[in-house]
């Protein structure tokens, strides 16, 4: 087991969020609140992860964490940009 695993995940999250930010995508508070639970519902029930038992639940939870992390990083990038704009005024 490598200690680089979590770092690779957070690097992937950062890259994905930065790509979204450059594309003009925005995160809202509602997205932050609901992206995780909706991701779990999608992965467990709509994609059949529940049929995989514990493994499906773990994978759905990890996917939800990844989705939430991307939205949270995007939210952070937005707030940083607006703080810079406000300090320039």
């Amino acid at each position: 087991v490598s200690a680089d695993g979590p770092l690779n995940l957070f690097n992937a999250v950062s890259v994905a969020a930065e790509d979204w930010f450059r594309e003009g995508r925005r995160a809202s508070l509602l997205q932050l609140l609901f992206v995780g639970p909706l991701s779990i519902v999608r992965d467990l029930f709509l994609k059949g992860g529940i049929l995989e038992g514990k493994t499906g639940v773990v994978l759905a939870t990890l996917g939800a964490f990844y989705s939430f992390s991307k939205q949270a990083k995007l939210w952070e990038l937005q707030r940083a940009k607006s703080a810079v704009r406000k300090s320039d005024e």
Side-chain angles (χ1 to χ4, degrees):
V1 175
S2 170
D4 293 337
L7 293 177
N8 289 337
L9 173 65
F10 288 116
N11 286 338
V13 165
S14 291
V15 168
E18 288 166 2
D19 288 345
W20 281 357
F21 187 72
R22 279 192 294 275
E23 292 170 4
R25 285 185 68 167
R26 298 291 175 251
S28 70
L29 183 59
L30 284 176
Q31 285 173 317
L32 282 174
L33 291 174
F34 290 110
V35 70
L38 290 176
S39 178
I40 287 176
V41 168
R42 180 196 66 213
D43 291 347
L44 283 179
F45 300 107
L46 300 179
K47 291 187 174 183
I50 195 76
L51 300 174
E52 300 295 327
K54 290 179 187 175
T55 302
V57 172
V58 169
L59 290 175
T61 303
L62 289 173
F65 177 72
Y66 178 73
S67 297
F68 172 79
S69 297
K70 285 190 300 185
Q71 290 293 329
K73 181 65 177 180
L74 182 57
W75 175 272
E76 180 183 330
L77 291 169
Q78 285 172 220
R79 292 183 55 86
K81 183 178 180 180
S82 67
V84 167
R85 251 191 271 143
K86 287 180 183 177
S87 69
D88 288 344
E89 293 176 353

